[in-house]
Each structure stands twice: as C-alpha cells, then as structure tokens.
C-alpha cells in the first residue's frame, strides 16, 4: 500500500518513510519491525549512528536491496570537497550495501558552501554510489544557490508538522520540482485549535491524532518520516496511509493555526 512520489523520471520514493534518529540500541529491532510492517523507505544519517543497524535490519528482513529506499545524510565534518567521497564509501560499508538511494547535506553550515559540497556529491552519484541528491534544512536562498550549480536537487528534508509549517519553502520546492520530506511530523501536534480539531477528526475517522496529522501531511504531498520504538506506534503510523481526509477536513486543519 505504499504510494510513491517521483524524484526523477526513473526514481520513485515511497511517500511514507521510517525515521531512525534517537533509536539507539533499539534501532535494529525498530527498523526490522518497520520493514516487516511494510515500510519501504528508511531515513538514516551519519550523525544518528544507525547505518549499521539499518543494514543489519535490511539483511534480517530478507528483502531485496532494491525493494527498500535508503536516505542518508552527510554531517558537518564530511561536507568539504575532499571529505564527501570517503564518507560515502564509509556509509556504504556501514550499511553493507553498494548504493545509497538519496544522499542529503544534513545542515547548511559554514564548514562548506553548497557550491563546494554539491559537485563532490554529484561525482559520487556519477560513480554509481548514490542514485539521487538533496539537501536538508535549506531555506529558499540556499535552495536558489543550490539550483544555480546546475546539479539536480530532488529533495529538501525540513521540519514540517502542524506547528511548524514552512509554507514558503514548500511553495518554492513545488515550483522547482524539489520534493519535500517532513521530519518530526508528529513531534508537535500544533496549536490548541489544531489539537482540538485533531481530536474531533480522530473520532470521526476512527484514528489517533497522530494518524490524522500524518494523513494531513501525506495529503499535502509531503513525505513524512515518523519514528518510533514501539511496535504498535510503528504499525499505527503505517496505517495512516489508508486515511484519506476529505478536502473540507484537510482545509480546516490547514486553517487551524
Ligand atoms: N534532517 C534533519 O535535520 C532531521 C531532524 C530531526 C529528525 N529527522 C528525521 O525525522 C525522523 C522523525 O523525526 P522525530 O524523531 O524528531 O519526530 P517524530 O517522528 O515526529 O516523533 C517521534 C516521537 O513521537 C512518538 N510517536 C511515534 N509514533 C507515535 C504514535 N503513533 N502515537 C504517539 N506517539 C508516537 C515517538 O515515541 P515512541 O518511540 O514511544 O513511539 C517519539 O517520541 C527522525 O527519526 C529522523 O530520521 C531529521
């Protein structure tokens, strides 16, 4: 039941992903449970220290590598031109795989400008080690600079939930064919008004407020990546894909600020 979104003509990303920050010693079991539940998109990052657990869970699941979409991110110590390729080789080794589906710059920082990091990322993409490139936590001005490099950026991963609504970045990304991943999708459920409405909609759809929040993000075309260590929550978040909010209910949530 995984809906996908096109990153390019050839590459699709499953719209719902599973986040892996802060999972610590529960990472492998949580990712394995997510894969067994049906998730086919795992979000990791060097700084989360979950590459090894993700790779182990993937092997334990028995799923073919090509059935699971893996995103990872370059942390601040790996964004200078000389550091990108060795970092990617290390990631592949940690993950136990020979390619990464989507590689992101984790945070814009003064260690290296996107004009330096993106060409080094493009070189590893052309070497076949990475399928697609993107960024994370980039505002419109950084996205504009990134686009000027001429290197194809297909995703911007930003905090997006009922409290934090980056409408300007979302509009810019849509206009420039950059998909948007919503991190921390349920960490905040928004204002009092939004939470009251979420409660009403949860009762109406026979769902939890978190599931309604995820359904709202999915309906907006975002790519939410909730994380959980609890099997019941992992499953409930996956089931949110089956909830289709009416246009009226989605608009009411949009207005509840
Ligand atoms: N690019 C970036 O800079 C960046 C930054 C932050 C996060 N991320 C990515 O985004 C992922 C998700 O973000 P996040 O971990 O900040 O927030 P989140 O997934 O929105 O929220 C996680 C919290 O919600 C709880 N939870 C999960 N499902 C639930 C449910 N159905 N009902 C009630 N509670 C539920 C979890 O607790 P339980 O474990 O107890 O279920 C956990 O405390 C991360 O894992 C990471 O992959 C990226």
């Amino acid at each position: 039941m995984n809906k996908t979104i096109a990153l390019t003509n050839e590459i699709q990303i499953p719209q719902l992903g599973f986040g892996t920050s802060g999972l610590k010693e529960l990472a492998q079991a949580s990712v394995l449970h997510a894969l067994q539940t049906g998730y086919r998109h795992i979000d990791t990052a060097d700084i989360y220290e979950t590459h090894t657990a993700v790779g182990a869970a993937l092997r334990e699941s028995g799923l073919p590598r090509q059935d699971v979409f893996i995103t990872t991110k370059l942390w601040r110590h790996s964004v200078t031109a000389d550091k990108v390729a060795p970092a990617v080789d290390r990631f592949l080794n940690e993950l136990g795989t020979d390619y990464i589906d989507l590689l992101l710059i984790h945070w814009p920082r003064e260690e290296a400008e996107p004009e330096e990091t993106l060409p080094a990322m493009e070189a590893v993409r052309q070497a076949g080690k990475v399928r697609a490139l993107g960024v994370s936590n980039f505002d419109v001005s950084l996205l504009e600079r990134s686009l000027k490099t001429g290197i194809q950026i297909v995703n911007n991963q930003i905090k997006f939930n009922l409290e934090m609504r980056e409408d300007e970045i979302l509009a810019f990304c849509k206009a420039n064919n950059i998909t948007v991943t919503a991190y921390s999708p349920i960490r905040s459920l928004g204002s009092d008004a939004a939470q009251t409405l979420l409660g009403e909609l949860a009762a109406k759809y026979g769902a939890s407020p978190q599931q309604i929040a995820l359904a709202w993000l999915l309906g907006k075309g975002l790519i939410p990546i909730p994380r959980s260590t609890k099997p019941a929550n992992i499953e409930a978040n996956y089931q949110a894909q089956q909830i289709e909010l009416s246009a009226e209910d989605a608009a009411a949530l949009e207005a509840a600020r």
Side-chain angles (χ1 to χ4, degrees), residues 159-165 184-188 216-217:
K159 190 174 194 175
F160 203 112
N161 55 41
L162 279 159
E163 180 186 3
M164 176 71 82
R165 309 182 193 201
S184 303
I186 50 175
R187 191 162 280 286
S188 167
W216 173 71
L217 290 165

Side-chain angles (χ1 to χ4, degrees), residues 17 172 255:
F172 181 88

Side-chain angles (χ1 to χ4, degrees), residues 19-21 43 48 73 106-107 136-137 157 183-187 210 225-230 233 236-237:
T20 64
S21 72
D43 182 82
Y48 306 162
K73 318 181 192 84
H106 202 147
W107 280 94
S136 179
N137 300 296
Q157 182 175 130
Y183 77 69
S184 303
I186 50 175
R187 191 162 280 286
Q210 287 82 2
I225 49 169
R227 69 103 165 148
S228 174
T229 51
K230 300 211 170 61
N233 286 348
N237 295 341

Side-chain angles (χ1 to χ4, degrees), residues 22-85:
L23 296 180
K24 298 189 176 141
E25 65 283 356
L26 293 173
Q28 186 176 335
S30 303
V31 173
L32 178 62
H33 192 73
L35 293 172
Q36 289 171 338
T37 299
Y39 292 80
R40 292 293 179 266
H41 162 191
I42 307 295
D43 182 82
T44 179
D46 195 13
I47 198 71
Y48 306 162
E49 299 183 343
T50 49
H51 285 159
T52 309
V54 169
L58 177 59
R59 283 186 293 283
E60 205 178 340
S61 75
L63 288 165
R65 168 68 185 89
Q66 66 271 19
D67 285 9
V68 180
F69 190 102
I70 298 177
T71 301
T72 190
K73 318 181 192 84
L74 292 161
W75 189 243
R76 299 169 55 175
H77 48 54
S78 306
V79 290
T80 51
D82 57 326
K83 298 275 173 57
V84 170

Side-chain angles (χ1 to χ4, degrees), residues 76 79-81 105 107-117:
R76 299 169 55 175
V79 290
T80 51
I105 299 175
W107 280 94
R109 281 288 190 273
E110 64 273 13
E111 279 81 357
E113 305 290 349
E115 290 83 352
E116 174 178 351
T117 311

